[in-house]
Amino acid sequence: MTLRGRLTAAFLVVVLGPVLLGAFFVASTVTAVDRSRSTERLAVAASTVRTSVDALCQQLRAAADAVALTGDPAVAASQLVGRGLAAAVLVTDVNGRVTYASPDAPPTPWRDCSEPATASAGPVRALAARVDRRDPTGAPMGTVAAAHLVDPAFVARLAAVTGVAVTLLDDGASAARFTHTTESREVRDAVLAAAGGTSDERVTETPKGRYVRRIGPSAGQPLPLVLSVPSERPPMLHVTLAGVVVLAGLLAVFTAWRLARVTTRPLAELAGAVDRVAHGDLTARVPVRSHDELGRLAAAFNRMTRETGSYVAALTSSRDQLRGHLAVLGDTLASTHDLQRILRVILHSAIAATGARAGAVLLVEAGGVLVAQCGEGLDGRWPAGDPDGSQGLRVPVGVGVVGAVAATGEPQRGRMEPSDVPTGEPRCRTYVAVPFATPGGTTTPGGAATLGGATTTVPGGERSLDESGAPAAALGVLALYDRVGADEFDDDDLDTLRTFAGHAAVAVENVRVHEEAQRLSLTDPLTGLWNYRYLRESIRREVERASRFGRMLSVLALDLDRFKDVNDTYGHAAGDTVLAEFARRVRGEIREVDLAFRQGGEEFVLLLPETDARGAAIVAERLGAAVRETPIAVEAYAGPIVVTVSVGIAVYPDHGSTGREVLEAADDALYAAKAAGRDTYRVAEARPDVPTREIPVPAGAVSPPDGLPRAGRPVQVPREPGGHARSESAAGVPESNRSGPAHARPDPADEPAATAADAARAGPDVARPGPGDGASSGPHPPRQSRGR
């Protein structure tokens, strides 16, 4: 087949293939996207319905609680109905007799919020929440039920909130009959038929192009509902796509014939010139026969060859001058700690100095793999089946050219045939690769390393030796490919590349030393925890984050009880062992997001993000048990040392508006725990700024969707030494109603549901970081002990 025929066939395949695939893809994608979007809309609507019904039920429970707590239920019920918090209130005695019922109350029985409806429950007339009434001695007095009318307006409000059509069935099992609906008459029967064909919450499609989902009745959502949304597929989609494919085919045939005719001759001439340039003849030129794109391509090719020849001549003449500036370049690179920038500068300078077309700097990482940190000119050099440049150059040590250089420590250069290219490395005609390593010793700016009084040459010279005299392990490899204007890299290029490799080794070592020094400045050398310097920065950052996202932050101040007696009795070496073991146990009891600090001496601080007072109390109990129940064994002593810990807890923003205030509140709570007998914890006293109201009726209280505690004004709940502490919302609760001693255990019936943070801390089967995991740590200036 001629070139013209091949071009025509290739153009048709390239054009018509994607057009056909695109048409099929568009049709299937539109259908799939339509179903996916409709399913997502129904899922969001179902979640909104559950949330709305749950909010209504909580409002009704709050109203019923308010009536049950008052001495005159009739007055309270009329007030609630007048305010619109409930449509009707029903009060019964212990025998079930009605003692009060609101005027114009919906007919009973009412559908209870806490129980799902059964198949024979009948139409839903009202939604109600019931609570028990008890006298001051706790004896039952009957029940109070608050109800909300379920009518067409209620269903219409649900449809408006969710943005979908809503139908309320008249029982919990069959979809043949309905009580109220917002569906139109044209699609109502089809929607009910589709809903009757499924028994769960799967999404089905009706013949008239609507997606239907049935929800409820279930616990917390006792209403049997059917939700539906219309399909959004455009009409006549397949006919339109077929017409587009036919028209594209006709245009492709005509265009392919025309392009193949006018392109063949100039391309042949251009191919011949390119072949001459590929063999090093930069004098090759292409005749310019027209002023179209091919003509401009020929002119650009001629201009490129002229400029390339000039560039090669200039590059050759400036190479020696560039080498004279390498010492200044090395000093500049060694003065910064941005490793990626250093390696890019080194690679770019090496390519400019040697006239290479491409190159890469690779460093040895864990597992013995060379990974490219930066590369230049590698696009289009990857053989078929190998990773492309976007995935990076990764070569195991000992494999291929650069792998062998890293394993042996010997530089390599030469020519490579296309069939000999190692797997994972880029295609090239010529290459040069030099290893670089930093031996254990002091590296001088000139490229020498002092090793035990003797001086050996690092990669800027011949080889790097470690302290035993053996070749040093390579840190990485500097590799260049395809020198411009020459067949192979020569010995001068190898010497130049060694110099750059030496600078790369010094730069890598400087960065690693800087990072290690930075880590040591923020950690405590004895316990490995973060130090006081990092505590000040971290508590400021965590308070800002908690304030920005409306979260809570718990601060725990820990102090080992009578630690001075341990030092006086067993010595300071034993005390250091106790501190190190205590730090290890602390790390084993906290999460990865938590931060642990040694504040000074035997004082420690924990920062628990997104944790309220209850979760912090659970952590305090676990820490106390971990220290108390397992004495610490110390070498050179017959028996283990028994120590205990006292803990003070403070929560942002309940106990302070800044990190310093919360930390001081935790410190005061710690002294309260010390005064209570040690080996316990105390929660700081809440700030006295909580407003009061006569009747607490939270309207539409909805739990946060992520289950995490929100920052608010919590009320300190009674607790006992070593027991749980919890906090609940104080909005609307009078200060005089908070009864009980300051450290009494709360009634289990009053315990709130555990938050997600509490659940993550509770239970012996919950996975948590072991020793060495969890939060990281570091040392800081000690504070006054104030007689602990």
Side-chain angles (χ1 to χ4, degrees):
M1 182 181 289
T2 63
L3 176 61
R4 181 178 300 180
R6 289 196 300 271
L7 286 175
T8 303
F11 187 85
L12 292 177
V13 171
V14 169
V15 172
L16 292 182
V19 168
L20 293 174
L21 291 177
F24 175 78
F25 176 79
V26 168
S28 59
T29 300
V30 168
T31 302
V33 167
D34 177 58
R35 182 175 182 86
S36 175
R37 292 181 60 183
S38 299
T39 302
E40 183 179 1
R41 287 183 60 190
L42 290 175
V44 172
S47 176
T48 304
V49 167
R50 292 190 182 94
T51 302
S52 300
V53 173
D54 179 67
L56 178 59
C57 289
Q58 291 189 33
Q59 176 177 323
L60 294 176
R61 291 191 190 96
D65 282 333
V67 174
L69 292 176
T70 59
D72 192 347
V75 174
S78 61
Q79 290 180 355
L80 292 174
V81 172
R83 294 179 183 178
L85 299 178
V89 175
L90 184 66
V91 181
T92 61
D93 58 13
V94 293
N95 296 321
R97 292 191 300 271
V98 177
T99 60
Y100 174 79
S102 298
D104 300 327
T108 57
W110 298 339
R111 186 64 56 86
D112 198 332
C113 288
S114 61
E115 297 179 1
T118 61
S120 60
V124 179
R125 304 301 181 189
L127 194 62
R130 301 179 185 275
V131 297
D132 294 330
R133 291 184 64 209
R134 296 182 181 275
D135 60 13
T137 63
M141 297 175 61
T143 61
V144 176
H148 188 279
L149 186 63
V150 178
D151 53 4
F154 175 81
V155 176
R157 286 196 299 272
L158 286 181
V161 170
T162 58
V164 301
V166 180
T167 301
L168 175 64
L169 304 178
D170 64 354
D171 57 50
S174 174
R177 297 178 301 174
F178 64 93
T179 303
H180 307 296
T181 182
T182 60
E183 297 280 1
S184 62
R185 293 181 179 272
E186 293 78 10
V187 300
R188 180 186 303 167
D189 294 336
V191 169
L192 292 177
T198 179
S199 59
D200 52 13
E201 296 191 3
R202 289 182 299 180
V203 177
T204 59
E205 186 176 2
T206 67
K208 295 188 177 182
R210 292 186 72 87
Y211 292 94
V212 180
R213 177 174 178 174
R214 183 174 177 179
I215 63 171
S218 60
Q221 202 291 98
L223 300 179
L225 300 174
V226 175
L227 310 179
S228 71
V229 293
S231 173
E232 298 179 357
R233 284 195 299 270
M236 304 293 291
L237 174 64
H238 295 87
V239 175
T240 303
L241 291 178
V244 170
V245 171
V246 172
L247 180 60
L250 296 176
L251 292 176
V253 171
F254 175 79
T255 305
W257 174 79
R258 181 67 179 173
L259 287 178
R261 181 182 179 188
V262 301
T263 305
T264 305
R265 182 179 178 183
L267 284 179
E269 295 174 346
L270 184 60
V274 169
D275 186 68
R276 292 171 57 190
V277 171
H279 288 83
D281 184 7
L282 297 179
T283 62
R285 299 291 184 270
V286 178
V288 181
R289 301 183 181 276
S290 63
H291 298 286
D292 58 3
E293 289 81 5
L294 289 176
R296 291 199 298 270
L297 178 61
F301 177 83
N302 295 335
R303 186 170 59 254
M304 179 190 68
T305 53
R306 288 193 298 269
E307 293 178 356
T308 301
S310 302
Y311 174 77
V312 171
L315 183 63
T316 303
S317 62
S318 63
R319 185 185 306 170
D320 294 338
Q321 181 181 1
L322 180 61
R323 290 173 182 170
H325 296 283
L326 289 179
V328 178
L329 175 63
D331 294 339
T332 303
L333 297 178
S335 64
T336 179
H337 297 114
D338 187 351
L339 182 59
Q340 295 296 327
R341 179 166 172 254
I342 292 174
L343 296 181
R344 285 195 299 270
V345 171
I346 291 176
L347 176 61
H348 183 76
S349 301
I351 290 176
T354 58
R357 297 181 184 272
V361 179
L362 303 93
L363 296 182
V364 178
E365 294 189 353
V369 178
L370 283 164
V371 178
Q373 303 299 314
C374 59
E376 187 172 335
L378 297 179
D379 295 340
R381 293 179 174 269
W382 302 98
D386 279 0
D388 56 19
S390 63
Q391 296 176 345
L393 178 59
R394 299 177 63 90
V395 180
V397 174
V399 178
V401 175
V402 295
V405 170
T408 62
E410 294 289 346
Q412 294 187 18
R413 65 180 178 88
R415 176 179 294 274
M416 184 178 297
E417 297 299 329
S419 59
D420 299 332
V421 175
T423 302
E425 296 190 32
R427 289 194 302 259
C428 64
R429 291 182 178 272
T430 58
Y431 67 90
V432 58
V434 175
F436 56 89
T438 300
T442 303
T443 303
T444 63
T450 303
L451 307 173
T455 301
T456 59
T457 306
V458 296
E462 292 296 328
R463 291 288 305 275
S464 293
L465 304 179
D466 58 16
E467 296 181 354
S468 62
L475 290 175
V477 175
L478 176 58
L480 301 181
Y481 305 100
D482 294 339
R483 179 180 174 187
V484 177
D487 290 339
E488 295 184 13
F489 292 93
D490 53 25
D491 291 338
D492 292 337
D493 296 324
L494 189 61
D495 294 337
T496 301
L497 208 59
R498 282 195 178 114
T499 302
F500 283 107
H503 293 314
V506 173
V508 172
E509 183 66 13
N510 286 347
V511 170
R512 292 181 178 177
V513 170
H514 173 73
E515 292 176 349
E516 179 65 14
Q518 190 175 33
R519 185 189 67 82
L520 293 176
S521 68
L522 298 176
T523 56
D524 175 51
L526 175 62
T527 62
L529 302 180
W530 297 113
N531 61 15
Y532 179 74
R533 173 185 176 187
Y534 193 62
L535 169 62
R536 292 183 300 177
E537 175 185 350
S538 299
I539 195 169
R540 175 190 57 79
R541 182 179 63 250
E542 292 299 333
V543 166
E544 290 177 355
R545 181 183 292 115
S547 175
R548 183 164 60 252
F549 295 104
R551 309 289 192 186
M552 286 185 174
L553 171 67
S554 291
V555 178
L556 274 65
L558 297 82
D559 188 276
L560 292 176
D561 299 324
R562 297 184 177 89
F563 184 74
K564 183 176 183 300
D565 296 340
V566 175
N567 283 334
D568 294 342
T569 304
Y570 303 97
H572 289 277
D576 292 345
T577 302
V578 170
L579 291 175
E581 175 61 17
F582 175 73
R584 187 191 66 81
R585 297 184 187 183
V586 167
R587 285 194 297 265
E589 295 296 334
I590 60 179
R591 307 167 300 178
E592 290 185 359
V593 298
D594 300 333
L595 298 174
F597 308 82
R598 184 186 179 195
Q599 192 171 1
E602 71 276 16
E603 301 176 13
F604 298 82
V605 173
L606 297 182
L607 300 185
L608 311 181
E610 298 184 349
T611 304
D612 57 5
R614 178 183 175 87
I618 294 174
V619 175
E621 288 183 338
R622 275 211 316 255
L623 289 173
V627 176
R628 181 192 320 110
E629 296 173 2
T630 305
I632 299 175
V634 179
E635 292 184 6
Y637 294 99
I641 299 176
V642 179
V643 294
T644 58
V645 63
S646 298
V647 183
I649 301 173
V651 181
Y652 171 85
D654 304 343
H655 305 122
S657 57
T658 64
R660 179 176 180 181
E661 292 178 0
V662 178
L663 188 59
E664 291 176 354
D667 200 54
D668 294 337
L670 172 61
Y671 280 99
K674 290 282 188 178
R678 296 181 175 86
D679 191 17
T680 184
Y681 71 88
R682 286 293 182 269
V683 180
E685 296 297 331
R687 294 180 295 179
D689 57 351
V690 181
T692 61
R693 295 157 67 183
E694 290 186 5
I695 300 179
V697 184
V702 180
S703 300
D706 55 2
L708 296 175
R710 290 294 192 270
R713 296 180 176 178
V715 172
Q716 193 60 40
V717 179
R719 64 189 184 279
E720 66 177 6
H724 293 284
R726 60 190 178 93
S727 60
E728 297 178 357
S729 176
V733 180
E735 191 72 30
S736 60
N737 290 340
R738 303 175 199 165
S739 59
H743 301 287
R745 181 172 294 278
D747 189 345
D750 297 332
E751 283 290 325
T755 62
D758 301 334
R761 303 183 180 281
D765 298 330
V766 179
R768 60 175 182 262
D773 295 334
S776 49
S777 31
H780 61 267
R783 301 193 308 160
Q784 295 294 334
S785 62
R786 295 199 286 181
R788 296 182 190 171

